[in-house]
């Protein structure tokens, strides 16, 4: 009986890892769409459209009962705080996207997994094994090998991305505290309701009428962001945040791939070296978790 429980626990953690990795792929695709959009409209307007799209999809799936359950949920107030940190992170990140390449943007942002791991110890009291710490720093070293952010200097866009990393790290840890308390769909509704609430007035003040291509991109941002959020919430329910945090590094690989496909950016040899380190760090986590649970 004990062996069955251990097996289920191990499978749950591995499922959380895979689900979270899938979420970060969709977030990367969303980032590419938003980088195309910010050239012609404000981040506020993009977030406004994104929130409406996700809430409409939630309503189509869950109906009135979902919104009624959401209104009476015990996490209404905690999600307000968490959503505020997330929105602040995204505002910093996507405003920086106007000035930085997608690869540079993602690279600098990858201070976030280390911040998440540290905060998971300080705030959540999680125990992080030494090998997992090593894997996190190997992944971060891979980021520097792939694209050295020091060559960019401490410009305003760089500072915005660093601020986004800190804010997102706090938001992820807060997500872990609420993820086990409520259904994922309710968290999704609350998160995007607050985004809609925060972004409505600025979006209307700086409104720009989107053309056909921008409407398509806005719809894709909503779809990609909604599914990515759902997967992220589900992944956080299945595995400790300090385990899934390093898998955010996989977004760097997708950022370089999308940068090449959309803008024709050709990765240097260092990019492939860095990607190998990042993937290796993720595999260390998976293998360590597999054998640790079998002992």
């Amino acid at each position: 009986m004990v062996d069955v429980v251990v097996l289920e626990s191990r499978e749950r953690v591995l499922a959380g890892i895979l689900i979270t990795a899938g979420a970060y792929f969709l977030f990367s695709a969303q980032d590419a769409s938003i980088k195309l959009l910010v050239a012609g409209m404000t981040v506020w307007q993009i977030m406004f459209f994104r929130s409406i799209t996700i809430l409409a999809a939630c309503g189509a799936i869950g109906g009135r009962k979902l919104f009624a359950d959401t209104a009476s949920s015990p996490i209404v107030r905690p999600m307000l705080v968490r959503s505020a940190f997330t929105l602040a992170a995204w505002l910093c990140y996507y405003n920086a996207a106007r000035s930085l390449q997608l690869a540079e943007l993602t690279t600098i942002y990858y201070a976030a997994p280390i911040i998440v791991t540290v905060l998971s110890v300080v705030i959540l009291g999680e125990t992080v094994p030494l090998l997992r710490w090593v894997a996190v720093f190997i992944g971060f070293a891979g980021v520097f090998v792939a694209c050295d952010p020091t060559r960019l200097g401490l410009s305003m866009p760089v500072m915005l991305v660093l601020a986004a990393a800190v804010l997102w790290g706090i938001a992820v840890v807060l997500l872990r505290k609420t993820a086990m308390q409520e259904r994922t769909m309710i968290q999704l509704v609350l998160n995007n309701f607050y985004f809609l609430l925060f972004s409505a007035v600025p979006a209307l003040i700086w409104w720009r009428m989107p053309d056909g291509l921008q409407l398509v991109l806005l719809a894709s941002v909503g779809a990609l962001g909604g599914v990515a959020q759902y997967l992220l919430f589900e992944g956080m329910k299945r595995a400790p945040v300090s385990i899934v945090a390093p898998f955010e590094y996989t977004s760097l690989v997708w950022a370089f791939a999308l940068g090449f496909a959309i803008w024709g950016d050709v990765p240097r040899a260092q990019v492939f070296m860095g990607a190998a380190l990042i993937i290796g760090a993720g595999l260390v986590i998976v293998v360590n978790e597999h054998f640790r649970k079998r002992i």
Side-chain angles (χ1 to χ4, degrees):
M1 182 64 180
V2 175
D3 290 340
V4 173
V5 173
V6 171
L7 178 61
E8 289 179 351
S9 177
R10 183 174 73 246
E11 295 300 326
R12 183 178 178 84
V13 170
L14 291 176
I17 289 172
L18 291 175
I19 291 171
T20 305
Y24 285 123
F25 164 70
L26 295 179
F27 276 131
S28 296
Q30 174 196 251
D31 289 350
S33 297
I34 291 178
K35 181 171 173 57
L36 291 169
L37 284 167
V38 292
M41 65 177 59
T42 66
V43 178
W44 293 109
Q45 188 174 349
I46 296 168
M47 291 294 103
F48 180 76
F49 267 98
R50 180 181 182 274
S51 301
I52 289 178
T53 303
I54 295 173
L55 287 173
C58 289
I61 295 170
R64 293 182 179 180
K65 187 178 186 304
L66 174 61
F67 292 113
D69 292 343
T70 300
S72 60
S73 172
I75 68 166
V76 169
R77 290 185 179 179
M79 280 297 291
L80 173 62
V81 177
R82 190 252 169 191
S83 298
F85 276 106
T86 305
L87 181 61
W90 285 357
L91 287 171
C92 291
Y93 186 79
Y94 292 126
N95 275 301
R98 291 191 176 94
S99 304
L100 298 175
Q101 295 180 355
L102 187 61
E104 294 172 339
L105 193 69
T106 308
T107 297
I108 300 169
Y109 173 74
Y110 276 95
I114 291 179
I115 294 168
V116 169
T117 302
V118 172
L119 291 177
S120 71
V121 176
V122 175
I123 297 177
L124 301 179
E126 291 184 3
T127 300
V128 180
L130 178 60
L131 188 58
R132 205 181 300 161
W133 280 111
V134 171
V136 169
F137 283 98
I138 289 175
F140 193 61
V143 172
F144 275 81
V145 171
C147 181
D148 182 7
T150 58
R151 68 185 176 86
L152 298 173
L154 292 178
S155 62
M156 180 56 69
V158 171
M159 296 300 293
L160 283 173
V161 181
L162 291 174
V166 174
L167 292 166
W168 177 249
I170 296 172
V172 168
V173 173
L174 292 176
L175 169 59
R176 179 63 181 170
K177 295 187 73 173
T178 60
M180 303 301 292
Q181 301 176 30
E182 192 54 273
R183 303 200 316 268
T184 298
M185 287 297 290
I186 288 180
Q187 295 184 61
L188 202 58
V189 170
L190 280 172
N191 199 51
N192 287 282
F193 170 73
Y194 289 134
F195 279 10
L196 183 64
L197 195 64
F198 294 147
S199 64
V201 173
L204 293 174
I205 291 175
W206 292 294
W207 182 270
R208 293 185 183 180
M209 186 59 64
D211 58 26
L213 176 59
Q214 288 174 328
L215 283 174
V216 171
L217 288 172
L218 285 168
S220 70
V221 165
L224 292 168
V227 176
Q229 282 185 55
Y230 183 87
L231 292 179
L232 185 61
F233 291 151
E234 286 293 312
M236 292 291 181
K237 287 183 177 180
R238 289 167 171 78
V241 67
S242 53
I243 289 180
V244 299
F247 287 86
E248 194 170 354
Y249 286 128
T250 58
S251 295
L252 179 65
V253 179
W254 299 120
F256 282 111
L258 291 169
F260 174 74
I262 299 172
W263 292 279
D265 298 333
V266 179
R268 296 169 288 106
Q270 291 91 332
V271 172
F272 296 101
M273 295 170 58
L277 286 171
I278 294 165
I279 295 170
L283 291 176
V284 167
I285 296 289
V286 173
V287 173
N288 178 62
E289 185 62 25
H290 176 75
F291 285 102
R292 188 174 68 87
K293 293 295 184 181
R294 292 187 62 179
I295 295 177

